[in-house]
Amino acid sequence: MKSDEVFDVLIAGGGLAGLSLALALDSAGFKVAVIDKLPPVEMLEEKYDGRSSAIAYANMRMLEVLGIKDKLLEFGEIKEILVCDGKVKDGAQKGGARGFTLHFDEAEISDSEPLGYMIENRHTRLALDKAASLRENITRITGQSYITHRELGDIVEVEISDGRKLQAKLLVGCDGRGSKVRNNAGIKTNKFGYNQTGIVTTVKLEKPHNSVAYEYFLPSGPFAILPLPENRASIVWCEPHAKAQTIVKQSKEFIEAELQKRFGDILGKVEICAPVFAYPLSMELAADWYRPRVALCGDAAHGIHPVAGQGFNLGLKDVAALAEVLINSRDVGLDIGDEIVLEEYAKWRRTDTMMVALACDAFVRLFSNDFAPLRLIRNIGIGVVDNISPMRKFFCRHAGGDVGDLPKLLRGEELV
């Protein structure tokens, strides 16, 4: 590649958000380069990332339009969700409800779409990789890192680790929570931790899960059982940092026994069938979404608690909004790197992102304790919502990403 090669858009970060954005822009004929320090083969290994993502039904429409859904090896449907305050008995945290439960059912909102989908991140990466490899307008630059950038009038020049300098109208930082693009652009973040670590693994179940997702709120933090194909489930188990680090160092049998306590007997015996990972949990929100010729997308712009499974969904909303804004701006002759264009994107995403982040934060703080007065308040709240159908539908549609001013991709429409 020539050092003076010019693209329409340079994307730093070839993960879930970065490749999704590349595919969306490619559909409108943009010339895109994706820079990622890891070769695809490493990111596709099971040991790289043991997480699964809950994909809102509106975002699955987007994956279908972009040609990704058909390339997914497997995914599970979420047809029902049960939310409850978990039990604490004899000092031990147990599965099962001790108060009211909140039940969401797909039949309340649609006769054609489930409440959501569960997909292992490595399968999403593989599907994105396959789709991107077929697009002539997408250049993959792997094994190289973004180093820095500088604005040069109507272009941005990006230096990568092998010394090459690439140019584009716009640089998009899709390089995760520790975004180097964001830091080099001088964009600050507001960050705080939860003193919680998410323990993540996959288990086989003795009894059928019937596409039901369970969310127990225990004093130490949320405990989620999320349905995967072949009667498996993805587990997100939140504990204080020190306890989580102790747990993940124990034997498989010890961890299975602790899981069984939290599961109760609803799904029979559980057996770990994947590596066990630990991820410290925090909230980190960028103070702004752009600088001249630079935009942020996905985790580079926002990192939230996984309590409602909205992290990747927020990233896909960013992708859909940014792609639509860039395409519309180009088509009317505007400079896609101009701050007027980037402000339109930021304005579209600011409020929704902040509302979701604050809602997730409030859930964690309200439920991650065993304070009796709060327990009473939240049980009353759960009971009220469960008994009022319009409220249940309201929460279902919000969780499904099917509210507000939706970009075309989230409505299942082509960009061009």
Side-chain angles (χ1 to χ4, degrees), residues 56-57 109 310 313 317 352 355-356 391-404:
Y57 61 85
I109 58 169
Q310 290 299 306
N313 288 303
K317 288 182 180 179
D352 177 61
M355 293 298 290
V356 171
M391 291 185 71
R392 291 198 308 272
K393 291 179 181 179
F394 171 82
F395 284 111
C396 281
R397 291 193 63 215
H398 270 269
D402 199 16
V403 294

Side-chain angles (χ1 to χ4, degrees), residues 111-398:
D111 57 5
S112 61
E113 293 176 305
L115 294 171
Y117 301 82
M118 282 302 302
I119 311 175
E120 292 177 70
N121 285 2
R122 61 194 178 97
H123 289 155
T124 307
R125 283 193 179 87
L126 181 59
L128 289 166
D129 183 71
K130 286 181 178 179
S133 67
L134 301 174
R135 310 296 176 88
E136 293 183 359
N137 288 325
I138 299 176
T139 299
R140 306 282 294 280
I141 303 172
T142 59
Q144 302 298 329
S145 300
Y146 156 89
I147 300 299
T148 191
H149 69 270
R150 59 175 180 160
E151 183 189 3
L152 298 174
D154 62 352
I155 62 169
V156 59
E157 184 176 76
V158 174
E159 181 181 347
I160 61 176
S161 52
D162 64 3
R164 283 181 288 172
K165 291 182 172 62
L166 312 174
Q167 296 180 345
K169 290 288 186 181
L170 177 67
L171 167 65
V172 182
C174 292
D175 50 343
R177 288 195 180 210
S179 173
K180 197 170 182 180
V181 171
R182 183 187 66 220
N183 294 338
N184 286 344
I187 300 175
K188 305 295 184 180
T189 64
N190 299 303
K191 180 179 180 179
F192 54 85
Y194 292 100
N195 190 33
Q196 288 181 352
T197 288
I199 302 170
V200 176
T201 191
T202 301
V203 298
K204 292 180 181 177
L205 306 172
E206 180 183 12
K207 298 179 182 178
H209 57 53
N210 296 320
S211 299
V212 178
Y214 299 85
E215 184 93 48
Y216 293 147
F217 285 100
L218 299 167
S220 61
F223 180 83
I225 307 168
L226 306 167
L228 290 170
E230 300 175 352
N231 209 43
R232 295 173 299 134
S234 174
I235 304 302
V236 182
W237 168 15
C238 300
E239 293 283 354
H241 293 317
K243 185 174 181 180
Q245 291 304 318
T246 298
I247 289 171
V248 297
K249 294 175 183 177
Q250 304 304 312
S251 67
K252 175 185 173 184
E253 291 74 20
F254 176 91
I255 298 173
E256 285 176 343
E258 289 298 309
L259 284 171
Q260 196 73 61
K261 292 177 186 177
R262 289 156 177 81
F263 265 73
D265 60 2
I266 53 171
L267 295 169
K269 183 180 178 182
V270 300
E271 178 185 351
I272 294 173
C273 60
V276 179
F277 296 83
Y279 300 96
L281 304 179
S282 65
M283 178 188 287
E284 185 170 14
L285 303 177
D288 208 345
W289 288 73
Y290 66 91
R291 284 292 184 268
R293 305 223 163 265
V294 177
L296 302 180
C297 188
D299 284 354
H302 44 71
I304 64 173
H305 195 285
V307 61
Q310 290 299 306
F312 182 35
N313 288 303
L314 283 178
L316 288 178
K317 288 182 180 179
D318 297 345
V319 167
L322 180 56
E324 189 167 330
V325 166
L326 296 182
I327 291 167
N328 291 343
S329 298
R330 178 202 61 182
D331 290 349
V332 297
L334 295 178
D335 180 348
I336 63 170
D338 192 278
E339 291 185 71
I340 294 175
V341 172
L342 301 182
E343 173 59 25
E344 184 180 350
Y345 160 61
K347 187 176 180 180
W348 203 347
R349 294 299 304 130
R350 277 191 193 107
T351 301
D352 177 61
T353 299
M354 184 61 69
M355 293 298 290
V356 171
L358 291 178
C360 290
D361 180 68
F363 260 92
V364 175
R365 296 185 186 281
L366 177 62
F367 283 91
S368 294
N369 62 76
D370 200 34
F371 185 48
L374 279 180
R375 193 168 66 235
L376 175 62
I377 291 170
R378 66 201 186 207
N379 273 325
I380 291 172
I382 287 174
V384 168
V385 173
D386 194 53
N387 282 283
I388 301 176
S389 179
M391 291 185 71
R392 291 198 308 272
K393 291 179 181 179
F394 171 82
F395 284 111
C396 281
R397 291 193 63 215
H398 270 269

